[in-house]
Tab-separated table of all heavy atoms in Angstrom:
chain	number	residue	atom	x	y	z
A	292	MET	N	37.328	-94.466	115.556
A	292	MET	CA	36.402	-95.310	114.797
A	292	MET	C	35.729	-96.359	115.681
A	292	MET	O	34.746	-96.959	115.275
A	292	MET	CB	37.144	-96.012	113.662
A	292	MET	CG	37.673	-95.101	112.622
A	292	MET	SD	38.519	-96.077	111.395
A	292	MET	CE	38.715	-94.885	110.121
A	293	LEU	N	36.241	-96.580	116.862
A	293	LEU	CA	35.751	-97.632	117.738
A	293	LEU	C	35.028	-97.099	118.965
A	293	LEU	O	34.856	-97.813	119.934
A	293	LEU	CB	36.922	-98.515	118.191
A	293	LEU	CG	37.708	-99.183	117.077
A	293	LEU	CD1	38.916	-99.900	117.654
A	293	LEU	CD2	36.835	-100.140	116.301
A	294	ARG	N	34.596	-95.873	118.920
A	294	ARG	CA	33.907	-95.286	120.073
A	294	ARG	C	32.639	-96.056	120.411
A	294	ARG	O	31.983	-96.616	119.546
A	294	ARG	CB	33.530	-93.841	119.773
A	294	ARG	CG	34.683	-92.905	119.987
A	294	ARG	CD	34.207	-91.498	119.848
A	294	ARG	NE	34.552	-91.111	118.482
A	294	ARG	CZ	34.070	-90.085	117.843
A	294	ARG	NH1	33.181	-89.318	118.403
A	294	ARG	NH2	34.456	-89.797	116.641
A	295	ALA	N	32.306	-96.023	121.677
A	295	ALA	CA	31.066	-96.655	122.131
A	295	ALA	C	29.869	-95.912	121.541
A	295	ALA	O	29.941	-94.713	121.271
A	295	ALA	CB	30.995	-96.630	123.648
A	296	THR	N	28.793	-96.632	121.341
A	296	THR	CA	27.570	-96.036	120.818
A	296	THR	C	27.026	-95.022	121.814
A	296	THR	O	26.865	-95.343	122.985
A	296	THR	CB	26.511	-97.131	120.575
A	296	THR	OG1	27.087	-98.133	119.757
A	296	THR	CG2	25.279	-96.567	119.901
A	297	PRO	N	26.730	-93.811	121.357
A	297	PRO	CA	26.160	-92.818	122.278
A	297	PRO	C	24.824	-93.285	122.853
A	297	PRO	O	24.093	-94.045	122.221
A	297	PRO	CB	25.957	-91.587	121.390
A	297	PRO	CG	26.820	-91.800	120.201
A	297	PRO	CD	26.940	-93.282	120.033
A	298	ARG	N	24.503	-92.811	124.055
A	298	ARG	CA	23.268	-93.217	124.725
A	298	ARG	C	22.029	-92.897	123.915
A	298	ARG	O	21.076	-93.646	123.912
A	298	ARG	CB	23.150	-92.519	126.069
A	298	ARG	CG	24.006	-93.074	127.115
A	298	ARG	CD	23.701	-92.394	128.422
A	298	ARG	NE	24.622	-92.839	129.433
A	298	ARG	CZ	24.723	-92.297	130.604
A	298	ARG	NH1	23.967	-91.281	130.922
A	298	ARG	NH2	25.580	-92.755	131.472
A	299	TRP	N	22.037	-91.753	123.231
A	299	TRP	CA	20.821	-91.341	122.541
A	299	TRP	C	20.470	-92.270	121.389
A	299	TRP	O	19.314	-92.345	121.000
A	299	TRP	CB	20.919	-89.896	122.063
A	299	TRP	CG	22.024	-89.648	121.079
A	299	TRP	CD1	23.289	-89.253	121.345
A	299	TRP	CD2	21.934	-89.784	119.656
A	299	TRP	NE1	24.008	-89.141	120.189
A	299	TRP	CE2	23.199	-89.460	119.133
A	299	TRP	CE3	20.919	-90.147	118.783
A	299	TRP	CZ2	23.467	-89.479	117.778
A	299	TRP	CZ3	21.192	-90.176	117.423
A	299	TRP	CH2	22.451	-89.844	116.933
A	300	THR	N	21.422	-93.030	120.850
A	300	THR	CA	21.087	-93.919	119.739
A	300	THR	C	20.207	-95.080	120.200
A	300	THR	O	19.339	-95.523	119.465
A	300	THR	CB	22.342	-94.453	119.032
A	300	THR	OG1	23.173	-95.121	119.967
A	300	THR	CG2	23.117	-93.333	118.367
A	301	ARG	N	20.437	-95.558	121.438
A	301	ARG	CA	19.571	-96.620	121.958
A	301	ARG	C	18.146	-96.118	122.133
A	301	ARG	O	17.189	-96.794	121.791
A	301	ARG	CB	20.101	-97.136	123.295
A	301	ARG	CG	21.104	-98.247	123.118
A	301	ARG	CD	21.438	-98.867	124.444
A	301	ARG	NE	22.728	-98.305	124.811
A	301	ARG	CZ	23.135	-98.067	126.034
A	301	ARG	NH1	22.347	-98.334	127.039
A	301	ARG	NH2	24.310	-97.557	126.267
A	302	ARG	N	18.026	-94.915	122.679
A	302	ARG	CA	16.693	-94.333	122.891
A	302	ARG	C	16.010	-94.056	121.556
A	302	ARG	O	14.821	-94.301	121.403
A	302	ARG	CB	16.812	-93.054	123.706
A	302	ARG	CG	15.485	-92.414	123.965
A	302	ARG	CD	15.463	-91.779	125.336
A	302	ARG	NE	14.212	-91.146	125.613
A	302	ARG	CZ	13.162	-91.758	126.138
A	302	ARG	NH1	13.240	-93.031	126.445
A	302	ARG	NH2	12.046	-91.111	126.368
A	303	LEU	N	16.776	-93.571	120.587
A	303	LEU	CA	16.224	-93.314	119.263
A	303	LEU	C	15.753	-94.612	118.612
A	303	LEU	O	14.657	-94.677	118.053
A	303	LEU	CB	17.259	-92.624	118.373
A	303	LEU	CG	16.846	-92.362	116.934
A	303	LEU	CD1	15.657	-91.400	116.884
A	303	LEU	CD2	18.024	-91.800	116.144
A	304	ARG	N	16.559	-95.650	118.707
A	304	ARG	CA	16.176	-96.934	118.119
A	304	ARG	C	14.913	-97.483	118.772
A	304	ARG	O	14.004	-97.976	118.105
A	304	ARG	CB	17.315	-97.944	118.260
A	304	ARG	CG	17.011	-99.256	117.548
A	304	ARG	CD	18.155	-100.186	117.608
A	304	ARG	NE	18.192	-100.758	118.950
A	304	ARG	CZ	19.088	-101.627	119.352
A	304	ARG	NH1	20.050	-102.011	118.558
A	304	ARG	NH2	19.052	-102.117	120.571
A	305	ARG	N	14.826	-97.383	120.107
A	305	ARG	CA	13.640	-97.853	120.816
A	305	ARG	C	12.403	-97.070	120.388
A	305	ARG	O	11.347	-97.650	120.143
A	305	ARG	CB	13.850	-97.747	122.324
A	305	ARG	CG	12.660	-98.272	123.118
A	305	ARG	CD	12.876	-98.258	124.606
A	305	ARG	NE	13.127	-96.912	125.074
A	305	ARG	CZ	14.038	-96.594	125.980
A	305	ARG	NH1	14.788	-97.504	126.518
A	305	ARG	NH2	14.189	-95.352	126.363
A	306	ASN	N	12.531	-95.743	120.275
A	306	ASN	CA	11.395	-94.918	119.888
A	306	ASN	C	10.959	-95.210	118.454
A	306	ASN	O	9.762	-95.320	118.184
A	306	ASN	CB	11.729	-93.435	120.047
A	306	ASN	CG	10.544	-92.562	119.756
A	306	ASN	OD1	10.378	-92.126	118.617
A	306	ASN	ND2	9.719	-92.311	120.758
A	307	LEU	N	11.905	-95.354	117.543
A	307	LEU	CA	11.550	-95.646	116.152
A	307	LEU	C	10.913	-97.029	116.016
A	307	LEU	O	9.973	-97.215	115.235
A	307	LEU	CB	12.781	-95.538	115.254
A	307	LEU	CG	13.334	-94.131	115.063
A	307	LEU	CD1	14.632	-94.178	114.265
A	307	LEU	CD2	12.319	-93.222	114.402
A	308	THR	N	11.399	-97.993	116.790
A	308	THR	CA	10.792	-99.322	116.777
A	308	THR	C	9.370	-99.265	117.318
A	308	THR	O	8.453	-99.865	116.753
A	308	THR	CB	11.639	-100.311	117.602
A	308	THR	OG1	12.960	-100.353	117.057
A	308	THR	CG2	11.045	-101.697	117.580
A	309	ALA	N	9.169	-98.515	118.412
A	309	ALA	CA	7.826	-98.375	118.988
A	309	ALA	C	6.883	-97.698	117.995
A	309	ALA	O	5.720	-98.096	117.870
A	309	ALA	CB	7.892	-97.576	120.286
A	310	ARG	N	7.357	-96.692	117.283
A	310	ARG	CA	6.524	-96.022	116.277
A	310	ARG	C	6.138	-96.985	115.152
A	310	ARG	O	5.007	-96.986	114.684
A	310	ARG	CB	7.247	-94.814	115.707
A	310	ARG	CG	7.302	-93.647	116.645
A	310	ARG	CD	8.068	-92.474	116.022
A	310	ARG	NE	8.187	-91.398	116.955
A	310	ARG	CZ	7.254	-90.472	117.151
A	310	ARG	NH1	6.146	-90.498	116.452
A	310	ARG	NH2	7.438	-89.524	118.043
A	311	ALA	N	7.089	-97.802	114.732
A	311	ALA	CA	6.802	-98.765	113.668
A	311	ALA	C	5.771	-99.796	114.129
A	311	ALA	O	4.846	-100.141	113.382
A	311	ALA	CB	8.093	-99.459	113.226
A	312	ILE	N	5.908	-100.282	115.353
A	312	ILE	CA	4.964	-101.257	115.894
A	312	ILE	C	3.588	-100.637	116.037
A	312	ILE	O	2.581	-101.233	115.650
A	312	ILE	CB	5.461	-101.811	117.247
A	312	ILE	CG1	6.711	-102.667	117.027
A	312	ILE	CG2	4.378	-102.612	117.946
A	312	ILE	CD1	7.410	-103.058	118.315
A	313	ALA	N	3.533	-99.423	116.588
A	313	ALA	CA	2.236	-98.741	116.760
A	313	ALA	C	1.578	-98.508	115.407
A	313	ALA	O	0.374	-98.753	115.241
A	313	ALA	CB	2.432	-97.414	117.498
A	314	GLY	N	2.333	-98.056	114.437
A	314	GLY	CA	1.774	-97.806	113.112
A	314	GLY	C	1.284	-99.065	112.434
A	314	GLY	O	0.205	-99.089	111.835
A	315	SER	N	2.061	-100.123	112.520
A	315	SER	CA	1.684	-101.387	111.901
A	315	SER	C	0.414	-101.958	112.528
A	315	SER	O	-0.483	-102.423	111.826
A	315	SER	CB	2.828	-102.388	112.029
A	315	SER	OG	2.466	-103.633	111.480
């Protein structure tokens, strides 16, 4: 239950944030 966050989640979060900013 305490595993470190996988690397791809950081990249996914960055990409989704960038998409939201670009769209807005």
Side-chain angles (χ1 to χ4, degrees):
M292 295 179 167
L293 302 174
R294 278 187 262 164
T296 306
R298 284 186 185 170
W299 62 268
T300 57
R301 272 189 258 148
R302 180 144 179 87
L303 177 63
R304 185 176 76 180
R305 182 176 60 221
N306 184 267
L307 291 174
T308 302
R310 286 179 184 276
I312 292 170
S315 178

